[in-house]
Amino acid sequence: VLRAATGPAAAPIPSATLAHLARRGWLDRAARGAYRTTRRGEDRVASLRDARRRPARARAAPPVSLPRLVGLSRFLRAVPAQRKWRRVLLVCYFLAEHCGVPEVDQRVLQAVFLRLRGIEAPGSLAALLSQTLCKRLGLLEPGSRRGLYRLAAKTRDDLRRQPRVAAADQAQRAQSGSVTRTG
């Protein structure tokens, strides 16, 4: 039996709190100033105890490992893009053509944009990938897992035929061919 705080030896539960819990159906009034827990209240307390015993949530995913992005900023400067979705599409194209990353997700693109200086990342990459580029424009297609996307074959061919993209591709291939790895 719970009692409102009335004297020095009484439990420190304010009467307003007890009245509120009674209105919610968690307590029944046994007598004036005395309450007892209802079945609903006991279930609620038990569920709170169980929630405390549950294991902690899984940790955040490990950091994304990126391929070598040598020449990406030069490629994006050579092929200007005023729209955010176009910039993301060009990054996907560069990763697929020059870095050997056929499928991308939001985390990979966010990491790429964090590495680039002077080029800000679009606000919501997940929505941009799934809603705009995949569903509405049809430039990307779903990848092997949920959240992964790859360039559609038609999109890749269209980008290769654009003169600025072709010139930037040629310059990137020439530059990467002359770079020798050491060590």
Side-chain angles (χ1 to χ4, degrees):
V1 174
L2 303 171
R3 297 198 178 274
T6 55
I13 302 173
S15 60
T17 302
L18 291 172
H20 172 74
L21 293 173
R23 281 193 302 271
R24 305 253 332 204
W26 295 352
L27 297 177
D28 278 337
R29 188 171 179 179
R32 182 177 177 98
Y35 296 86
R36 68 175 159 254
T37 311
T38 62
R39 180 74 182 140
R40 181 178 176 191
E42 290 172 4
D43 290 343
R44 178 70 175 153
V45 170
S47 70
L48 290 173
R49 284 187 190 134
D50 291 343
R52 288 186 181 159
R53 289 187 198 134
R54 287 186 198 135
R57 288 179 58 189
R59 289 178 159 183
V64 178
S65 63
L66 290 176
R68 293 186 58 213
L69 298 175
V70 175
L72 176 58
S73 60
R74 186 177 348 137
F75 179 82
L76 291 175
R77 281 193 307 269
V79 185
Q82 299 300 321
R83 303 229 177 224
K84 291 185 273 188
W85 64 265
R86 173 99 171 141
R87 192 175 315 131
V88 170
L89 186 68
L90 289 171
V91 169
C92 292
Y93 175 78
F94 184 87
L95 290 173
E97 288 293 312
H98 300 287
C99 298
V101 181
E103 296 180 342
V104 296
D105 64 348
Q106 170 192 354
R107 290 182 42 222
V108 169
L109 289 175
Q110 187 68 37
V112 167
F113 277 109
L114 283 175
R115 187 158 315 161
L116 291 173
R117 293 188 183 107
I119 299 174
E120 65 181 60
S124 174
L125 278 170
L128 187 69
L129 286 171
S130 70
Q131 299 299 317
T132 305
L133 290 173
C134 187
K135 292 179 182 172
R136 194 175 67 181
L137 299 175
L139 300 172
L140 296 179
E141 42 190 43
S144 59
R145 284 185 295 129
R146 180 186 169 121
L148 286 177
Y149 298 93
R150 65 177 169 265
L151 282 173
K154 184 181 182 302
T155 305
R156 185 179 299 211
D157 294 339
D158 288 345
L159 285 172
R160 285 180 181 154
R161 278 189 237 121
Q162 292 178 5
R164 285 187 170 181
V165 175
D169 267 345
Q170 187 66 26
Q172 176 63 27
R173 285 190 176 88
Q175 180 67 25
S176 64
S178 64
V179 175
T180 58
R181 292 187 181 188
T182 60

